[in-house]
Amino acid sequence: MKELTPQLLHSLKHYSRKEFVQDLTAGVIVAIIALPLSIALALASGVAPEQGLYTAIVAGFLISALGGSKVQIAGPTAAFATIVAGIVARSGLEGLAAATILAGVMLILMGVLHMGSMIKFIPYTITTGFTAGIAVTILIGQLKDFFGLTFGTAPVETMEKLEEVIRSFHTVNWAAVGVGCLALAVLILWPRWFQKIPASLIAVVVTAAAVKLLALPVNTIGDLYTISSDLPRLVLPDLSYGTVAEVLPDAFTIAVLAAIESLLSAVVADEMIGARHNSNMELVAQGAGNAASALFGGIPATGAIARTAANIKNGGRSPVAGMVHAVVLLLVLVLLMPYAALIPMPCIAAILFQVAYNMSGWRTVVKVIKRSPKSDVAVLAVTFLLTVIFDLVVAIVVGLSLACLLFMKRMADVAVVKEWEYVEDTGDGQGRLKPVPAHVMVYEISGPMFFGAADKIPHMERNTGRHVLIVRMRSVPAMDITALNSLQRLWEECRDKDIRVIFSHVNEQPLSVFRKSGLYEQVGAENFAANIDEALERASELEGVHL
C-alpha cells in the first residue's frame, strides 16, 4: 500500500510560499474557466446547473487531494454528457447517483489491484474514434438550444435528437441564432487579443447583457431551470438490489470512461511538466471523487485535459491548485449562483460547440486516416459511427472486439512453420550451413503460436524417408493450448509412423505449457534440446533406432 500515496503528501514536503502563490493564482484562473463549463455540461447532461458546480467542487477537491498527479484538474467533462443524459432519462437522478457510486467503487478497486496500466490495452484508434463520436453527439444535442427550436417530443438518443431537429427546424428562433452566433464570435475572437480572461466568461456576460437589455425572446437558464445557491448536502441514494442490478452496466461504462479519460489527461500533463503520475493512486482518487460527488448531488467526474492544461500554463505545479479551484467555485456557488439564471441557452450551446470542436481531434482523425493501415481506419470508423448511432458501450465493446480480431490475424500472419532446405536438395552446395543427417528433417517455427496460427502446424505424411523430426522453436515467444494440441497431434502422427520427434530451443513460456500439459513427459526430457546443435547431435544418436 506504500505505492498508494497521494501526490499531495509528496508535494507538501518541500512546499514554499512562492509555490503557494503560483498555485493560488492558477487555481483562481482555472475556477473562472470551469464555472461556465460546469454549468453548461450539467445542462447537457440533463441535470440542474448547480449540479455541475457540486461535481467540480466535491470531486475536484477530493481528486486533487488524493490523486496521483501533481496538476490534474477534475470535474464534469463532455465525454460524460450524453451518457449521463441517457442514465437520467432511463433511471432518474436516483439511478444516476447509484451508478456513479458503484463506478467509484470499481475505480477504487482498479487502483488497489494495480490496474493503472490498463490504458495501454485501449488501442489509439478506439480512443480517437469514440472521442470524435462523443464530440458529434454533444454538437447534435445542442442544436435545439442554439437554434431556439421547439421540439414536439423529448428525444433521448442522438439519432432521435437529429431527426427531431430536422422535423422542428421550421420553428427556428432567429433571435436565439443571433445570440448563439454572438457567443461563438466572442469565443473565437476574444483569445486572439486577450488570453488572461477566459473567453467563455466574456461570452456569458455579453450575451446575458444583450438578452436582458434588448428584451430578446430567448430562453435563459432561469426560464427552464430553478437555480439554487444551496450548499451540496449529503443524500444517500437507493442502493437496493433491484437498483444496483439495473444500473450496473451504466456504472461499468462510467468507471471505464473515467479511467481512460483521467489517465489520458494525466499522461498529457506529465508531458507538459516533465513529471510522472501514479496511475493507481489516480484511479483510487477518481473513485473516491466520483462516489463523493454522487453522495452530494453531483454527476460523474474525471480529469479534464483542457482545465489541466490551463492549470499548468498558469503556473500550477501541485495538487493545491486543484483544491483552490474547488474552493473558489464553492464561493461562487454561494455568492453568485442566482446570476446564472440570466445566461442564455444559445450561449451555453455555443460554449459546448467549442468544447465539442476541441475534443473532436479532427486533425488527429485525418492523420490516422492518412497514415494508418486500412484495418486501423476501419476500427476508428466503426467506433465513431457506433458512438454516434448507438452509445459508447456498444462502440467500445465492438471496437475492442474488432481490434483484437485484427491483432490476432496479424499475429497469425506473422507465424510461420517452414521446413529447412537441405544441402542435397539444393544441388549447388549453397544450402544450410549446418549439415543435417539424411535421416533427419528440421521444421522451424517462427512467431507466437496460438489458436489463430495453430493450423499452420503441418500433418506428417507417410513415406518421408526420414525417421527423426526436429522441431526448432527458437523464435516462438509464446504458445497456447490450441497450438500445443496441434503439436501433440503432430507428435502422435510421427509416433504412429515410427518417427522420433526432438524439440529444439523451447523458450520459457512454451516449455511451461509443455510441462503443465504432460506432453513433456510423453516426449521425454532427453528429446528437448537446448539448441539446434544439441538437437542434431541427439538425432545422430537415433540413426537406425526405431520405436
Side-chain angles (χ1 to χ4, degrees):
M1 295 299 289
K2 186 179 178 181
E3 296 177 9
L4 297 179
T5 304
Q7 181 59 48
L8 179 64
L9 298 181
H10 297 300
S11 297
L12 291 179
K13 287 180 180 178
H14 306 287
Y15 200 58
S16 66
R17 182 177 180 277
K18 179 182 177 182
E19 289 173 316
F20 175 71
V21 172
Q22 289 179 323
D23 287 337
L24 181 64
T25 303
V28 171
I29 293 172
V30 171
I32 294 171
I33 295 171
L35 174 62
L37 280 177
S38 298
I39 293 172
L41 291 168
L43 297 178
S45 301
V47 299
E50 65 270 14
Q51 290 182 263
L53 288 182
Y54 292 168
T55 308
I57 293 166
V58 177
F61 187 90
L62 281 177
I63 291 172
S64 289
L66 302 177
S69 170
K70 289 183 177 181
V71 292
Q72 180 94 284
I73 301 294
T77 60
F80 281 118
T82 52
I83 296 170
V84 171
I87 298 172
V88 171
R90 290 190 305 271
S91 308
L93 292 176
E94 282 276 324
L96 173 63
T100 308
I101 291 173
L102 291 174
V105 173
M106 292 179 191
L107 285 163
I108 292 172
L109 290 176
M110 286 181 192
V112 171
L113 296 175
H114 292 80
M115 294 174 65
S117 60
M118 65 175 288
I119 186 67
K120 67 184 179 184
F121 297 112
I122 307 295
Y124 184 64
T125 47
I126 290 180
T127 56
T128 303
F130 78 63
T131 302
I134 290 170
V136 171
T137 61
I138 291 171
L139 186 147
I140 292 173
Q142 296 306 308
L143 292 175
K144 173 182 180 291
D145 289 329
F146 187 85
F147 290 103
L149 303 178
T150 303
F151 278 8
T153 61
V156 175
E157 301 298 332
T158 301
M159 288 296 98
E160 293 175 351
K161 290 179 182 178
L162 184 58
E163 290 175 5
E164 190 64 24
V165 166
I166 296 171
R167 205 165 24 236
S168 306
F169 201 76
H170 65 278
T171 65
V172 63
N173 179 345
W174 293 108
V177 175
V179 171
C181 290
L182 175 61
L184 280 177
V186 172
L187 292 170
I188 295 169
L189 299 175
W190 181 265
R192 296 185 180 182
W193 296 289
F194 308 98
Q195 295 187 352
K196 289 295 183 181
I197 304 176
S200 56
L201 185 64
I202 300 302
V204 164
V205 173
V206 169
T207 55
V211 170
K212 185 70 174 177
L213 295 175
L214 300 177
L216 297 176
V218 175
N219 281 333
T220 63
I221 292 178
D223 294 330
L224 304 179
Y225 300 92
T226 302
I227 303 294
S228 172
S229 59
D230 294 340
L231 292 172
R233 289 176 294 179
L234 177 65
V235 178
L236 295 176
D238 175 23
L239 291 175
S240 63
Y241 175 79
T243 302
V244 169
E246 180 185 353
V247 302
L248 196 58
D250 296 321
F252 180 76
T253 303
I254 293 170
V256 170
L257 184 56
I260 292 172
E261 190 169 3
S262 62
L263 295 181
L264 277 174
S265 176
V267 168
V268 171
D270 286 350
E271 294 173 356
M272 294 179 70
I273 63 173
R276 188 173 182 180
H277 73 282
N278 182 335
S279 56
N280 295 313
M281 191 64 234
E282 186 63 27
L283 289 179
V284 171
Q286 292 289 335
N290 273 278
S293 174
L295 289 172
F296 284 93
I299 59 178
T302 186
I305 295 176
R307 275 160 273 174
T308 299
N311 180 38
I312 295 169
K313 290 177 182 178
N314 286 283
R317 289 296 180 272
S318 85
V320 173
M323 297 162 70
V324 169
H325 134 270
V327 172
V328 172
L329 287 177
L330 179 63
L331 295 175
V332 170
L333 172 70
V334 175
L335 302 175
L336 302 175
M337 194 58 184
Y339 294 104
L342 302 175
I343 302 174
M345 295 304 295
C347 178
I348 295 292
I351 291 172
L352 290 171
F353 281 172
Q354 188 183 54
V355 169
Y357 175 82
N358 290 335
M359 78 174 294
S360 67
W362 65 269
R363 292 182 181 86
T364 302
V365 173
V366 171
K367 185 169 67 174
V368 170
I369 292 173
K370 285 182 176 179
R371 300 181 181 179
S372 302
K374 291 181 180 178
S375 55
D376 287 335
V377 175
V379 172
L380 188 154
V382 167
T383 306
F384 170 79
L385 291 173
L386 290 178
T387 301
V388 175
I389 298 171
F390 295 102
D391 59 46
L392 191 62
V393 180
V394 174
I396 290 180
V397 170
V398 174
L400 272 177
S401 300
L402 186 57
C404 289
L405 288 172
L406 290 171
F407 173 77
M408 288 186 287
K409 182 183 182 302
R410 287 170 182 165
M411 290 299 99
D413 290 342
V414 168
V416 176
V417 181
K418 187 177 181 181
E419 186 175 2
W420 276 17
E421 291 182 356
Y422 309 109
V423 172
E424 60 270 24
D425 292 335
T426 64
D428 58 4
Q430 300 300 314
R432 287 277 175 180
L433 295 178
K434 290 186 181 298
V436 178
H439 68 285
V440 178
M441 51 188 160
V442 182
Y443 281 4
E444 179 120 21
I445 304 178
S446 302
M449 295 306 297
F450 65 108
F451 59 87
D455 63 335
K456 294 189 176 183
I457 296 173
H459 289 269
M460 183 52 60
E461 299 176 356
R462 289 185 180 275
N463 304 321
T464 61
R466 304 172 191 264
H467 63 269
V468 176
L469 168 66
I470 297 176
V471 180
R472 194 181 191 202
M473 300 179 64
R474 179 185 61 173
S475 300
V476 179
M479 181 173 70
D480 72 356
I481 189 63
T482 306
L484 179 87
N485 287 339
S486 295
L487 286 175
Q488 180 155 14
R489 182 259 303 155
L490 175 64
W491 176 76
E492 291 171 353
E493 290 175 354
C494 289
R495 182 191 60 190
D496 294 342
K497 297 171 179 58
D498 197 22
I499 298 173
R500 291 290 188 95
V501 179
I502 301 170
F503 290 96
S504 168
H505 201 145
V506 182
N507 290 306
E508 184 178 352
Q509 193 277 340
L511 186 60
S512 68
V513 177
F514 272 107
R515 292 182 187 279
K516 192 171 183 179
S517 68
L519 185 57
Y520 184 87
E521 287 74 20
Q522 288 179 279
V523 174
E526 68 278 8
N527 292 320
F528 281 84
N531 51 55
I532 190 64
D533 294 322
E534 286 188 18
L536 289 170
E537 186 179 338
R538 169 64 178 161
S540 297
E541 296 172 0
L542 296 174
E543 184 174 6
V545 178
H546 299 279
L547 292 171

